[in-house]
């Protein structure tokens, strides 16, 4: 199916869900593990009916869900088609169905508590080093470039965060090469940044806000607070 644009996802008005990174994410608070399992069973039934299913994590009092399609169609500037992992209409439709199930079972959405972590490595040799990191993180090089047109390391089972590579010039002076991308819902970004600053962090660059804001700790280590702006 065609991958959806950010505007199409925003226009879908999915109250319970937020697009963080490549997928749709939701957290529902429930009465306990048993209630969560009951909720997931109903979600599974809905997913089986349409041949699509979310990734699910059950905790004591919450259920985390991620919806993403592994067969989304991306067209580059030359019109060439690529199969990638992204949000499609299938995900939007199932998200709406899950919202209805949650309402029927009394599970409350808590989008402000959703966080997704990605790792980013600055390098001028992404294609060269990516197989090494794929093997280190997942045990095989199969994750190199999976679901993307780039060199990202994406584990099919979601055991580890996505590792993507930010292109940089060659350099001799050692510097920080890894940074963490912290994905949050748009309405939480300012709060998360303020909390980091209150704890002693410094805003290094907010020229691309609200898409991402670079924060540094007292030692100069950097991370990005990222969000998907509406529209």
């Amino acid at each position: 199916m065609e991958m959806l644009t950010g505007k199409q996802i925003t226009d879908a008005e999915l109250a319970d869900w937020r697009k963080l990174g490549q997928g749709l994410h939701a957290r529902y608070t429930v009465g306990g593990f048993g209630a969560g399992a009951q909720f997931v069973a109903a979600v599974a039934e809905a997913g089986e009916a349409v041949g699509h299913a979310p990734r699910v994590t059950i905790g004591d009092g919450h259920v985390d869900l991620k919806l993403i399609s592994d067969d989304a169609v991306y067209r580059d500037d030359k019109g060439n088609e690529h199969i990638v992992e992204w949000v499609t209409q299938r995900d939007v439709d199932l998200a709406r169905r899950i919202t209805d199930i949650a309402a029927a079972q009394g599970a409350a959405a808590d989008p402000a508590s959703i966080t997704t972590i990605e790792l980013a490595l600055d390098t001028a040799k992404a294609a060269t080093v990516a197989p090494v990191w794929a093997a280190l993180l997942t045990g095989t090089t199969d994750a190199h470039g999976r679901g993307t047109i780039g060199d990202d390391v994406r584990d099919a089972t979601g055991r580890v965060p996505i590792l993507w590579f930010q292109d940089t010039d060659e350099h001799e002076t050692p510097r920080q090469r890894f940074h963490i991308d912290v994905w949050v819902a748009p309405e939480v970004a300012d709060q998360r940044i303020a909390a980091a600053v209150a704890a002693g962090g410094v805003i290094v660059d907010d020229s691309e806000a609200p898409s991402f804001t670079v924060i540094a700790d007292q030692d100069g280590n950097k991370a990005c607070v990222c969000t998907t702006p509406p529209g």
Side-chain angles (χ1 to χ4, degrees):
M1 300 184 72
E2 294 283 341
M3 62 181 290
L4 298 183
T5 64
K7 184 178 187 306
Q8 288 173 318
I9 296 170
T10 299
D11 289 347
E13 297 183 344
L14 302 173
D16 294 358
W17 299 76
R18 298 293 182 273
K19 180 182 173 292
L20 308 184
Q22 294 72 37
L24 295 176
H25 295 257
R27 167 169 286 191
Y28 290 95
T29 57
V30 293
F33 191 87
Q38 182 179 1
F39 174 51
V40 170
V43 170
E45 183 177 350
E48 288 178 359
V50 297
H52 192 46
R55 298 175 184 175
V56 181
T57 302
I58 306 178
D60 185 12
H62 69 269
V63 175
D64 290 340
L65 302 166
K66 177 182 180 181
L67 281 167
I68 192 169
S69 294
D70 60 9
D71 58 355
V73 177
Y74 164 75
R75 289 183 175 82
D76 61 25
D77 294 338
K78 297 180 179 179
N80 299 315
E81 292 187 358
H82 306 270
I83 302 301
V84 298
E85 287 188 336
W86 200 261
V87 177
T88 67
Q89 189 62 43
R90 179 195 301 121
D91 300 299
V92 170
D93 292 343
L94 185 53
R96 287 198 177 102
R97 176 63 186 129
I98 293 172
T99 294
D100 292 340
I101 293 171
Q105 295 198 7
D110 185 14
S113 68
I114 306 167
T115 301
T116 295
I117 300 295
E118 292 184 359
L119 303 176
L121 175 60
D122 296 343
T123 178
K125 303 175 181 177
T128 300
V129 305
V132 176
W133 286 101
L136 283 171
L137 294 174
T138 72
T140 174
T141 58
D142 292 346
H144 173 206
R146 195 190 68 81
T148 175
I149 62 172
D151 290 295
D152 297 10
V153 175
R154 299 188 185 184
D155 177 28
T157 66
R159 291 170 296 177
V160 296
I162 288 174
L163 170 62
W164 65 277
F165 301 92
Q166 182 164 282
D167 188 47
T168 187
D169 294 332
E170 291 277 9
H171 58 86
E172 296 180 359
T173 304
R175 62 181 178 84
Q176 181 186 356
R177 290 193 171 194
F178 267 111
H179 72 268
I180 294 174
D181 284 347
V182 183
W183 283 87
V184 298
E187 64 267 31
V188 179
D190 287 345
Q191 176 191 4
R192 190 65 61 93
I193 293 167
V197 170
V202 176
I203 297 176
V204 176
D205 184 359
D206 59 1
S207 61
E208 298 296 330
S211 294
F212 68 88
T213 299
V214 183
I215 305 291
D217 66 12
Q218 293 89 332
D219 282 340
N221 301 305
K222 298 182 181 69
C224 294
V225 177
C226 307
T227 189
T228 302

